[in-house]
Short mmCIF file of all heavy atoms in Angstrom, two decimals:
data_model
loop_
_atom_site.label_atom_id
_atom_site.label_comp_id
_atom_site.label_asym_id
_atom_site.label_seq_id
_atom_site.Cartn_x
_atom_site.Cartn_y
_atom_site.Cartn_z
N HIS A 79 -25.53 0.91 -32.59
CA HIS A 79 -26.88 0.78 -33.18
C HIS A 79 -27.68 2.06 -33.15
O HIS A 79 -28.28 2.44 -34.13
CB HIS A 79 -27.62 -0.38 -32.52
CG HIS A 79 -28.84 -0.87 -33.27
ND1 HIS A 79 -30.05 -0.31 -33.18
CD2 HIS A 79 -28.89 -1.84 -34.26
CE1 HIS A 79 -30.90 -0.97 -34.03
NE2 HIS A 79 -30.22 -1.89 -34.68
N GLN A 80 -27.67 2.71 -32.03
CA GLN A 80 -28.38 3.95 -31.84
C GLN A 80 -27.81 5.08 -32.75
O GLN A 80 -28.57 5.81 -33.40
CB GLN A 80 -28.31 4.41 -30.37
CG GLN A 80 -29.13 5.68 -30.09
CD GLN A 80 -28.91 6.17 -28.70
OE1 GLN A 80 -27.98 6.95 -28.42
NE2 GLN A 80 -29.78 5.71 -27.75
N ALA A 81 -26.48 5.15 -32.81
CA ALA A 81 -25.85 6.19 -33.63
C ALA A 81 -26.08 5.98 -35.12
O ALA A 81 -26.04 6.89 -35.90
CB ALA A 81 -24.34 6.26 -33.31
N TRP A 82 -26.29 4.69 -35.48
CA TRP A 82 -26.67 4.43 -36.90
C TRP A 82 -28.15 4.75 -37.14
O TRP A 82 -28.48 5.49 -38.10
CB TRP A 82 -26.37 2.96 -37.18
CG TRP A 82 -27.05 2.46 -38.48
CD1 TRP A 82 -27.04 3.11 -39.70
CD2 TRP A 82 -27.75 1.27 -38.64
NE1 TRP A 82 -27.70 2.36 -40.63
CE2 TRP A 82 -28.16 1.22 -40.00
CE3 TRP A 82 -28.12 0.22 -37.82
CZ2 TRP A 82 -28.87 0.17 -40.52
CZ3 TRP A 82 -28.82 -0.84 -38.35
CH2 TRP A 82 -29.20 -0.83 -39.68
N GLN A 83 -29.04 4.23 -36.28
CA GLN A 83 -30.48 4.44 -36.48
C GLN A 83 -30.92 5.91 -36.39
O GLN A 83 -31.78 6.33 -37.13
CB GLN A 83 -31.24 3.59 -35.46
CG GLN A 83 -31.14 2.13 -35.67
CD GLN A 83 -31.92 1.60 -36.88
OE1 GLN A 83 -33.13 1.75 -36.92
NE2 GLN A 83 -31.23 1.05 -37.81
N ASN A 84 -30.25 6.64 -35.48
CA ASN A 84 -30.69 7.99 -35.24
C ASN A 84 -29.70 9.08 -35.66
O ASN A 84 -29.91 10.24 -35.42
CB ASN A 84 -30.94 8.21 -33.69
CG ASN A 84 -32.01 7.22 -33.18
OD1 ASN A 84 -32.93 6.81 -33.90
ND2 ASN A 84 -31.84 6.85 -31.91
N GLY A 85 -28.59 8.61 -36.24
CA GLY A 85 -27.57 9.62 -36.60
C GLY A 85 -26.81 9.33 -37.88
O GLY A 85 -27.35 8.70 -38.75
N GLN A 86 -25.58 9.75 -37.90
CA GLN A 86 -24.83 9.71 -39.13
C GLN A 86 -23.78 8.56 -39.20
O GLN A 86 -22.93 8.52 -40.06
CB GLN A 86 -24.02 11.05 -39.25
CG GLN A 86 -24.93 12.26 -39.31
CD GLN A 86 -25.67 12.37 -40.62
OE1 GLN A 86 -25.35 11.75 -41.61
NE2 GLN A 86 -26.71 13.15 -40.64
N LEU A 87 -23.83 7.62 -38.27
CA LEU A 87 -22.88 6.55 -38.29
C LEU A 87 -23.28 5.53 -39.36
O LEU A 87 -24.44 5.10 -39.47
CB LEU A 87 -22.82 5.86 -36.91
CG LEU A 87 -21.78 4.76 -36.72
CD1 LEU A 87 -20.34 5.37 -36.87
CD2 LEU A 87 -21.90 4.16 -35.36
N ARG A 88 -22.32 5.09 -40.19
CA ARG A 88 -22.61 4.21 -41.31
C ARG A 88 -21.77 2.89 -41.33
O ARG A 88 -22.10 1.99 -42.16
CB ARG A 88 -22.34 4.93 -42.63
CG ARG A 88 -23.22 6.20 -42.85
CD ARG A 88 -24.65 5.83 -43.02
NE ARG A 88 -25.51 7.00 -43.29
CZ ARG A 88 -26.18 7.59 -42.31
NH1 ARG A 88 -26.16 7.17 -41.07
NH2 ARG A 88 -26.95 8.64 -42.59
N ASN A 89 -20.72 2.79 -40.50
CA ASN A 89 -19.84 1.64 -40.54
C ASN A 89 -19.52 1.23 -39.08
O ASN A 89 -19.37 2.06 -38.21
CB ASN A 89 -18.57 1.95 -41.25
CG ASN A 89 -18.77 2.51 -42.64
OD1 ASN A 89 -18.89 1.76 -43.63
ND2 ASN A 89 -18.89 3.82 -42.79
N GLY A 90 -19.39 -0.10 -38.90
CA GLY A 90 -18.93 -0.65 -37.57
C GLY A 90 -17.88 -1.66 -37.74
O GLY A 90 -18.01 -2.59 -38.56
N SER A 91 -16.77 -1.49 -36.95
CA SER A 91 -15.66 -2.44 -37.04
C SER A 91 -15.80 -3.45 -35.88
O SER A 91 -15.78 -3.06 -34.72
CB SER A 91 -14.35 -1.69 -36.92
OG SER A 91 -14.18 -0.83 -38.11
N LEU A 92 -15.94 -4.71 -36.24
CA LEU A 92 -16.39 -5.77 -35.33
C LEU A 92 -15.17 -6.56 -34.77
O LEU A 92 -14.32 -7.05 -35.54
CB LEU A 92 -17.28 -6.72 -36.08
CG LEU A 92 -17.79 -7.94 -35.35
CD1 LEU A 92 -18.80 -7.53 -34.24
CD2 LEU A 92 -18.50 -8.89 -36.34
N MET A 93 -15.15 -6.68 -33.46
CA MET A 93 -14.12 -7.55 -32.77
C MET A 93 -14.63 -8.97 -32.64
O MET A 93 -15.55 -9.25 -31.87
CB MET A 93 -13.84 -6.93 -31.38
CG MET A 93 -13.35 -5.51 -31.41
SD MET A 93 -13.20 -4.77 -29.74
CE MET A 93 -11.78 -5.69 -29.10
N ALA A 94 -13.97 -9.87 -33.37
CA ALA A 94 -14.37 -11.30 -33.35
C ALA A 94 -14.22 -11.92 -31.96
O ALA A 94 -15.01 -12.79 -31.58
CB ALA A 94 -13.63 -12.09 -34.37
N ASN A 95 -13.27 -11.40 -31.21
CA ASN A 95 -12.98 -11.96 -29.89
C ASN A 95 -13.49 -11.07 -28.74
O ASN A 95 -13.08 -11.21 -27.61
CB ASN A 95 -11.44 -12.23 -29.73
CG ASN A 95 -10.60 -11.03 -30.12
OD1 ASN A 95 -11.09 -10.11 -30.67
ND2 ASN A 95 -9.33 -11.11 -29.88
N GLY A 96 -14.35 -10.14 -29.07
CA GLY A 96 -14.95 -9.28 -28.08
C GLY A 96 -15.93 -10.01 -27.19
O GLY A 96 -16.51 -11.04 -27.62
N ILE A 97 -16.17 -9.55 -26.00
CA ILE A 97 -17.03 -10.22 -25.08
C ILE A 97 -18.51 -10.21 -25.46
O ILE A 97 -19.33 -11.00 -24.99
CB ILE A 97 -16.91 -9.60 -23.64
CG1 ILE A 97 -17.32 -8.14 -23.66
CG2 ILE A 97 -15.50 -9.74 -23.12
CD1 ILE A 97 -17.45 -7.51 -22.28
N ALA A 98 -18.87 -9.29 -26.40
CA ALA A 98 -20.28 -9.15 -26.77
C ALA A 98 -20.46 -9.39 -28.27
O ALA A 98 -21.40 -8.84 -28.84
CB ALA A 98 -20.80 -7.78 -26.36
N VAL A 99 -19.66 -10.17 -28.90
CA VAL A 99 -19.79 -10.42 -30.35
C VAL A 99 -21.03 -11.17 -30.67
O VAL A 99 -21.69 -10.92 -31.70
CB VAL A 99 -18.53 -11.08 -30.90
CG1 VAL A 99 -18.37 -12.51 -30.36
CG2 VAL A 99 -18.51 -11.03 -32.42
N GLN A 100 -21.43 -12.10 -29.79
CA GLN A 100 -22.69 -12.81 -30.05
C GLN A 100 -23.85 -11.88 -30.02
O GLN A 100 -24.79 -11.96 -30.83
CB GLN A 100 -22.85 -13.94 -29.01
CG GLN A 100 -21.80 -15.03 -29.07
CD GLN A 100 -22.06 -16.08 -30.11
OE1 GLN A 100 -23.12 -16.14 -30.70
NE2 GLN A 100 -21.11 -16.96 -30.29
N ASP A 101 -23.84 -10.96 -29.08
CA ASP A 101 -24.92 -9.93 -28.95
C ASP A 101 -24.92 -9.07 -30.19
O ASP A 101 -25.98 -8.68 -30.72
CB ASP A 101 -24.70 -9.09 -27.71
CG ASP A 101 -25.80 -8.04 -27.56
OD1 ASP A 101 -26.90 -8.41 -27.23
OD2 ASP A 101 -25.41 -6.83 -27.70
N ALA A 102 -23.73 -8.68 -30.69
CA ALA A 102 -23.63 -7.87 -31.87
C ALA A 102 -24.27 -8.54 -33.10
O ALA A 102 -24.92 -7.89 -33.91
CB ALA A 102 -22.16 -7.52 -32.18
N ALA A 103 -24.14 -9.89 -33.16
CA ALA A 103 -24.70 -10.62 -34.28
C ALA A 103 -26.23 -10.50 -34.27
O ALA A 103 -26.87 -10.41 -35.33
CB ALA A 103 -24.29 -12.07 -34.20
N LYS A 104 -26.81 -10.48 -33.08
CA LYS A 104 -28.29 -10.36 -33.00
C LYS A 104 -28.78 -9.03 -33.61
O LYS A 104 -29.86 -8.95 -34.15
CB LYS A 104 -28.74 -10.43 -31.57
CG LYS A 104 -28.45 -11.83 -30.90
CD LYS A 104 -28.84 -11.81 -29.42
CE LYS A 104 -28.47 -13.08 -28.74
NZ LYS A 104 -28.80 -13.06 -27.27
N HIS A 105 -27.94 -7.96 -33.43
CA HIS A 105 -28.36 -6.67 -33.83
C HIS A 105 -27.98 -6.28 -35.27
O HIS A 105 -28.60 -5.48 -35.94
CB HIS A 105 -27.81 -5.59 -32.89
CG HIS A 105 -28.35 -5.70 -31.51
ND1 HIS A 105 -29.60 -5.37 -31.15
CD2 HIS A 105 -27.77 -6.10 -30.32
CE1 HIS A 105 -29.79 -5.57 -29.83
NE2 HIS A 105 -28.66 -6.01 -29.33
N PHE A 106 -26.86 -6.87 -35.73
CA PHE A 106 -26.21 -6.32 -36.97
C PHE A 106 -26.01 -7.37 -38.07
O PHE A 106 -25.84 -6.96 -39.23
CB PHE A 106 -24.87 -5.70 -36.67
CG PHE A 106 -24.95 -4.43 -35.86
CD1 PHE A 106 -24.81 -4.43 -34.53
CD2 PHE A 106 -25.19 -3.22 -36.56
CE1 PHE A 106 -24.87 -3.25 -33.76
CE2 PHE A 106 -25.24 -2.04 -35.83
CZ PHE A 106 -25.08 -2.04 -34.42
N ALA A 107 -25.99 -8.66 -37.77
CA ALA A 107 -25.51 -9.64 -38.74
C ALA A 107 -26.29 -9.58 -40.05
O ALA A 107 -25.74 -9.82 -41.17
CB ALA A 107 -25.49 -11.04 -38.16
N ARG A 108 -27.60 -9.33 -39.96
CA ARG A 108 -28.45 -9.35 -41.17
C ARG A 108 -29.08 -8.01 -41.46
O ARG A 108 -30.13 -7.96 -42.12
CB ARG A 108 -29.48 -10.51 -41.03
CG ARG A 108 -28.82 -11.87 -41.11
CD ARG A 108 -29.77 -12.97 -40.70
NE ARG A 108 -29.06 -14.28 -40.82
CZ ARG A 108 -28.30 -14.77 -39.87
NH1 ARG A 108 -28.10 -14.12 -38.77
NH2 ARG A 108 -27.72 -15.96 -40.05
N GLU A 109 -28.49 -6.97 -40.95
CA GLU A 109 -29.00 -5.64 -41.21
C GLU A 109 -28.52 -5.12 -42.56
O GLU A 109 -27.35 -5.27 -42.94
CB GLU A 109 -28.57 -4.65 -40.10
CG GLU A 109 -29.25 -4.86 -38.77
CD GLU A 109 -30.68 -4.26 -38.76
OE1 GLU A 109 -31.19 -3.89 -39.83
OE2 GLU A 109 -31.25 -4.19 -37.65
N ASP A 110 -29.41 -4.46 -43.29
CA ASP A 110 -29.02 -3.75 -44.51
C ASP A 110 -28.78 -2.30 -44.22
O ASP A 110 -29.33 -1.70 -43.29
CB ASP A 110 -30.15 -3.85 -45.54
CG ASP A 110 -30.35 -5.29 -46.05
OD1 ASP A 110 -29.36 -6.01 -46.18
OD2 ASP A 110 -31.50 -5.69 -46.34
N GLY A 111 -27.89 -1.72 -44.99
CA GLY A 111 -27.67 -0.25 -44.83
C GLY A 111 -26.64 0.11 -43.87
O GLY A 111 -26.34 1.27 -43.64
N PHE A 112 -25.99 -0.89 -43.24
CA PHE A 112 -24.91 -0.63 -42.30
C PHE A 112 -23.75 -1.56 -42.71
O PHE A 112 -23.95 -2.73 -42.86
CB PHE A 112 -25.32 -0.93 -40.87
CG PHE A 112 -24.35 -0.47 -39.82
CD1 PHE A 112 -24.22 0.88 -39.46
CD2 PHE A 112 -23.47 -1.36 -39.19
CE1 PHE A 112 -23.33 1.30 -38.54
CE2 PHE A 112 -22.59 -0.97 -38.23
CZ PHE A 112 -22.51 0.35 -37.90
N CYS A 113 -22.54 -0.98 -42.86
CA CYS A 113 -21.40 -1.71 -43.39
C CYS A 113 -20.56 -2.26 -42.21
O CYS A 113 -20.14 -1.44 -41.32
CB CYS A 113 -20.57 -0.85 -44.27
SG CYS A 113 -19.19 -1.69 -45.12
N ILE A 114 -20.30 -3.55 -42.19
CA ILE A 114 -19.54 -4.19 -41.15
C ILE A 114 -18.09 -4.47 -41.69
O ILE A 114 -17.94 -4.91 -42.82
CB ILE A 114 -20.16 -5.51 -40.72
CG1 ILE A 114 -21.46 -5.24 -40.01
CG2 ILE A 114 -19.21 -6.31 -39.86
CD1 ILE A 114 -21.30 -4.62 -38.66
N GLY A 115 -17.14 -4.16 -40.84
CA GLY A 115 -15.76 -4.53 -41.15
C GLY A 115 -15.23 -5.41 -40.00
O GLY A 115 -15.75 -5.45 -38.89
N LEU A 116 -14.16 -6.13 -40.29
CA LEU A 116 -13.50 -6.93 -39.30
C LEU A 116 -12.42 -6.04 -38.59
O LEU A 116 -11.52 -5.54 -39.23
CB LEU A 116 -12.84 -8.13 -39.92
CG LEU A 116 -12.00 -9.02 -38.94
CD1 LEU A 116 -12.89 -9.64 -37.91
CD2 LEU A 116 -11.22 -10.10 -39.68
N HIS A 117 -12.52 -5.88 -37.28
CA HIS A 117 -11.65 -5.10 -36.47
C HIS A 117 -10.58 -6.09 -35.95
O HIS A 117 -10.75 -6.64 -34.89
CB HIS A 117 -12.37 -4.38 -35.36
CG HIS A 117 -11.59 -3.30 -34.71
ND1 HIS A 117 -10.90 -2.31 -35.44
CD2 HIS A 117 -11.38 -2.97 -33.40
CE1 HIS A 117 -10.34 -1.48 -34.60
NE2 HIS A 117 -10.64 -1.81 -33.38
N CYS A 118 -9.56 -6.35 -36.73
CA CYS A 118 -8.55 -7.41 -36.35
C CYS A 118 -7.90 -7.04 -35.07
O CYS A 118 -7.20 -5.97 -34.95
CB CYS A 118 -7.52 -7.49 -37.46
SG CYS A 118 -8.23 -7.92 -39.08
N THR A 119 -8.10 -7.88 -34.06
CA THR A 119 -7.72 -7.53 -32.67
C THR A 119 -6.71 -8.52 -32.14
O THR A 119 -7.04 -9.69 -31.85
CB THR A 119 -9.02 -7.48 -31.81
OG1 THR A 119 -9.92 -6.57 -32.31
CG2 THR A 119 -8.64 -7.09 -30.34
N LEU A 120 -5.49 -8.00 -31.91
CA LEU A 120 -4.43 -8.86 -31.44
C LEU A 120 -3.83 -8.31 -30.12
O LEU A 120 -2.80 -8.80 -29.62
CB LEU A 120 -3.31 -8.97 -32.46
CG LEU A 120 -3.68 -9.56 -33.74
CD1 LEU A 120 -2.49 -9.68 -34.72
CD2 LEU A 120 -4.30 -11.01 -33.57
N HIS A 121 -4.51 -7.32 -29.49
CA HIS A 121 -4.10 -6.73 -28.24
C HIS A 121 -5.27 -6.43 -27.38
O HIS A 121 -6.38 -6.20 -27.85
CB HIS A 121 -3.24 -5.49 -28.47
CG HIS A 121 -2.01 -5.76 -29.24
ND1 HIS A 121 -1.90 -5.79 -30.60
CD2 HIS A 121 -0.74 -6.10 -28.75
CE1 HIS A 121 -0.67 -6.10 -30.94
NE2 HIS A 121 0.06 -6.29 -29.90
N ALA A 122 -5.07 -6.51 -26.05
CA ALA A 122 -6.10 -6.24 -25.05
C ALA A 122 -5.57 -5.23 -24.06
O ALA A 122 -4.74 -5.56 -23.20
CB ALA A 122 -6.51 -7.51 -24.36
#
């Protein structure tokens, strides 16, 4: 979020099974100007 707001980051790849995915939704789910992708995660 910081690297997007204050820098040149424009895309974020989201882990559906990550430990903080609910927290990510609070910050990014309805944000405009930032592109979300699904980071398909089958390994830990």
Side-chain angles (χ1 to χ4, degrees):
H79 195 272
Q80 184 187 87
W82 167 47
Q83 291 287 299
N84 302 329
Q86 300 289 342
L87 188 61
R88 298 290 181 266
N89 305 271
S91 294
L92 177 70
M93 300 173 70
N95 49 352
I97 62 172
V99 67
Q100 297 276 352
D101 180 71
K104 297 177 184 178
H105 295 289
F106 290 97
R108 291 170 178 82
E109 287 281 11
D110 293 325
F112 190 77
C113 186
I114 292 291
L116 177 65
H117 197 45
C118 300
T119 303
L120 299 181
H121 296 88

